[in-house]
Structure formats: C-alpha cells, structure tokens
Amino acid sequence: MERTSRAVMLGLSLAAFCLLLLTPDARARPGEFRTGQVRDLPLNDPQVQKAAQEAVATYNMGSNSLYYFRDTHILKAQCQLVAGIKYYLSLEMSSTACRKNAMTGDRSVDLTICPLATGTEEEKLRCNFEILVVPWQNSSQLLKNDCVPMY
C-alpha cells in the first residue's frame, strides 16, 4: 500500500514538474495566438498589403518579363510567428503597360500608377508567396513563389 501511494505521489510530482516546464506558448489559453501557429489575416491589413508589395517587387526583379506585374487581388493571407513573421499570401497579378528599364532598377517604380496591360499584352497570374519579415532587422525575404498563368 505504501509502495503504491509512493509511486502515485512520484508520478503526480513528475507530471506537475513537467507542466511547470512548459513554455508560456504551450500554456496559452484557447483562442490565443501561439508561436508557430498559422492564422488567417484580414486581406486589408496594412502588414498584409506591405508583404504583398514586397513579394510582387521581388517577383518583378526575378522575372524575365519585359513588363512589370502588380497585384490585383489578394485572395488569402496568413501569418506564422517564427524567428520573424512568415506571411503566406495567395494573389492574382496582372501585367502592366510599364516596361522594365535596367537604368531605373526594379524597386524604384511606383506600380500603383502603372496602367494594367490590355488585349494581347495582358497576362494574368495566380501566385502563392511565402515571405519572411524580420522587423527588428528591417529585412524581408521571399522564401517561395509559385505562379501559374490564368486563362
């Protein structure tokens, strides 16, 4: 009997000790945001807009298209708190009538004033982007992009 109660007490003590060791994120109440958890964001969130602009600018720098693209619709936005903030964005993008110029550099063009291409020049893409933003280092990095033509 004493041996059984000693084993139970030891087990309960060990369980209590393990609960104390849990990180604050693991002890978070239901409904709270936890580190590593992916959550949906409002499409009009300023940080979503900024991340989308960064993704499109980076895409334009790496694209071999003669014309710039700009986002026309943000379809879905999510974020994940990691060593920074990782954004998962689904966008629709369209080609513009603004031609790339090697002299100006890709980041100096204000895409909001570039008219969208029309007719045979128009090209539409649906893209999924993964962007890591590290605010305290003032840096962002496009980790993944997957774009497919829309017909």
Side-chain angles (χ1 to χ4, degrees), residues 2 16 22 26 36 38 47 59 63 80 100 115 139-140:
E2 187 176 318
L22 287 176
V38 176
Q47 295 303 316
Y59 176 84
S63 161
Q80 180 181 30
K100 289 183 180 180
S139 71
S140 62

Side-chain angles (χ1 to χ4, degrees), residues 35-48:
T35 303
Q37 177 184 358
V38 176
R39 69 175 175 150
D40 291 331
L41 294 172
L43 303 181
N44 61 352
D45 182 294
Q47 295 303 316
V48 169

Side-chain angles (χ1 to χ4, degrees), residues 7-88:
V8 169
M9 288 300 290
L10 182 61
L12 290 173
S13 298
L14 184 59
F17 181 72
C18 289
L19 286 173
L20 289 174
L21 291 179
L22 287 176
T23 63
D25 286 341
R27 293 189 308 245
R29 283 175 249 137
E32 289 184 353
F33 187 58
R34 297 180 179 151
T35 303
Q37 177 184 358
V38 176
R39 69 175 175 150
D40 291 331
L41 294 172
L43 303 181
N44 61 352
D45 182 294
Q47 295 303 316
V48 169
Q49 301 291 321
K50 187 176 178 181
Q53 289 172 354
E54 183 66 32
V56 172
T58 305
Y59 176 84
N60 278 325
M61 284 193 325
S63 161
N64 61 0
S65 174
L66 296 175
Y67 296 91
Y68 290 105
F69 279 83
R70 75 174 200 208
D71 61 298
T72 53
H73 295 98
I74 299 175
L75 305 170
K76 185 175 182 178
Q78 296 178 305
C79 75
Q80 180 181 30
L81 187 60
V82 291
I85 303 167
K86 194 181 284 188
Y87 290 94
Y88 302 93

Side-chain angles (χ1 to χ4, degrees), residues 52-127:
Q53 289 172 354
E54 183 66 32
V56 172
T58 305
Y59 176 84
N60 278 325
M61 284 193 325
S63 161
N64 61 0
S65 174
L66 296 175
Y67 296 91
Y68 290 105
F69 279 83
R70 75 174 200 208
D71 61 298
T72 53
H73 295 98
I74 299 175
L75 305 170
K76 185 175 182 178
Q78 296 178 305
C79 75
Q80 180 181 30
L81 187 60
V82 291
I85 303 167
K86 194 181 284 188
Y87 290 94
Y88 302 93
L89 303 175
S90 294
L91 312 173
E92 286 182 0
M93 298 195 321
S94 291
S95 57
T96 68
C98 293
R99 193 173 173 92
K100 289 183 180 180
N101 181 348
M103 300 302 257
T104 61
D106 286 335
R107 293 197 185 260
S108 63
V109 175
D110 183 3
L111 295 176
T112 60
I113 61 172
C114 287
L116 294 175
T118 57
T120 59
E121 299 296 318
E122 183 180 32
E123 187 178 353
K124 291 186 175 187
L125 301 174
R126 175 166 284 163
C127 298

